[in-house]
């Protein structure tokens, strides 16, 4: 596709419910990132996928958070038993993935999924 | 101390002003330095990047990196109302794919 597509753009849920956020990266991009942007905070790294390698999950804040990437393309971020502190914009980005030591490794971001937990 | 510090502002300037945005960092392993611009309700978009120390110019934008001081800057000349956005600095090490971001500075350019 022309850009990174995320859905839903807005999600309002009740505390304790599960939510799924979807990311369609740019076609051909092998690297995919999830970041979280809370009000007044910078972007917080959550998880990174690169090709068929094991993902780097080191940024996931708790075991309620999980992510999958199927077929090296679409990714889903799942938050179980949502809490009010999970309210944030969840941003997905993709890149060509030739990251290490080779230039800027330009990340292209989607518009984000704005999650509100009541 | 956070790895990357950035004054969140807000910063309000008149059209045509020179804007200076900056970040400091503590991790000496950082080698790639970037500035992203984020309009309201949009994702960040890469504005400029610099490798190691030095200056880089692109039109009205100039990025500077001073690794000895662990300080990076973005200058915007002849600022326009369309420059109104949040500007995020980001950086990473040479062997690390993870970008570490500042909190972002909200800039408003008034016509």
């Amino acid at each position: 596709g022309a850009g990174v597509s995320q859905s839903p753009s807005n999600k309002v849920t009740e505390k304790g419910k599960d939510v799924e956020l979807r990311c369609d990266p740019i076609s051909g991009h092998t690297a995919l990132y999830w970041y979280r942007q809370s009000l007044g905070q910078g972007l917080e790294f959550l998880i990174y996928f690169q090709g068929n390698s094991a993902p780097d999950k080191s940024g996931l804040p708790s075991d309620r958070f999980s992510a999958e990437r199927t077929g090296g393309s679409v990714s889903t971020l799942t938050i179980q038993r949502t809490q009010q502190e999970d309210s944030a914009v969840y941003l997905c980005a993709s890149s060509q993935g030739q990251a290490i030591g080779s230039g800027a490794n330009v990340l292209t971001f989607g518009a984000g999924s704005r999650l509100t937990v009541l | 101390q956070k790895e990357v510090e950035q004054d969140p502002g807000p910063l309000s300037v008149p059209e045509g002003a020179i804007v200076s945005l900056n970040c400091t960092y503590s991790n000496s392993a950082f080698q790639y330095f970037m500035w992203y611009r984020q309009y309201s309700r949009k994702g960040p978009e890469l504005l400029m990047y610099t490798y190691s120390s030095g200056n880089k110019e692109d039109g009205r934008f100039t990025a500077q990196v001073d690794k000895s001081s662990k300080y990076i800057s973005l200058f915007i000349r002849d600022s326009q109302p369309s420059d109104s956005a949040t500007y995020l600095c980001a950086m990473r090490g040479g062997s690390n794919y993870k970008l570490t971001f500042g909190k972002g500075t909200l800039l408003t350019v008034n016509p």
Side-chain angles (χ1 to χ4, degrees), chain A residues 1-89:
Chain A
V4 177
S5 179
Q6 291 189 245
S7 60
S9 55
N10 279 286
K11 176 72 176 178
V12 180
T13 191
E14 293 179 347
K15 178 181 172 181
K17 294 286 180 69
D18 297 353
V19 296
E20 283 190 353
L21 308 175
R22 176 187 168 103
C23 173
D24 278 280
I26 291 173
S27 178
H29 279 191
T30 59
L32 186 147
Y33 303 72
W34 283 97
Y35 280 82
R36 177 168 72 174
Q37 187 173 31
S38 304
L39 191 63
Q41 302 297 315
L43 275 69
E44 174 191 11
F45 169 82
L46 297 178
I47 189 167
Y48 164 76
F49 296 90
Q50 170 59 58
N52 295 321
S53 302
D56 177 353
K57 305 179 181 181
S58 61
L60 295 178
S62 77
D63 59 8
R64 296 185 296 103
F65 288 73
S66 63
E68 290 186 337
R69 189 178 185 193
T70 53
S73 180
V74 171
S75 177
T76 303
L77 177 68
T78 301
I79 309 173
Q80 296 179 309
R81 305 181 302 282
T82 51
Q83 303 294 311
Q84 288 183 329
E85 61 262 29
D86 299 334
S87 296
V89 177

Side-chain angles (χ1 to χ4, degrees), chain B residues 40-81:
Chain B
S40 180
R41 302 278 176 163
K42 301 288 188 184
E45 57 178 341
L46 181 67
L47 197 56
M48 297 190 71
Y49 86 90
T50 309
Y51 171 69
S52 195
S53 283
N55 294 358
K56 188 170 185 177
E57 189 172 317
D58 183 1
R60 296 184 295 108
F61 298 89
T62 300
Q64 289 186 349
V65 174
D66 182 348
K67 289 191 72 178
S68 63
S69 302
K70 296 190 176 69
Y71 186 90
I72 70 170
S73 301
L74 177 71
F75 297 96
I76 308 174
R77 290 183 298 281
D78 187 25
S79 55
Q80 303 295 308

Side-chain angles (χ1 to χ4, degrees), chain A residues 35 37 56 58 99 101 103 114, chain B residues 38 41 43 92 94 97-99:
Chain A
Y35 280 82
Q37 187 173 31
D56 177 353
S58 61
R114 183 174 298 272
Chain B
Q38 185 176 24
R41 302 278 176 163
R92 70 173 179 91
Y97 43 76
K98 246 183 274 187
L99 282 180

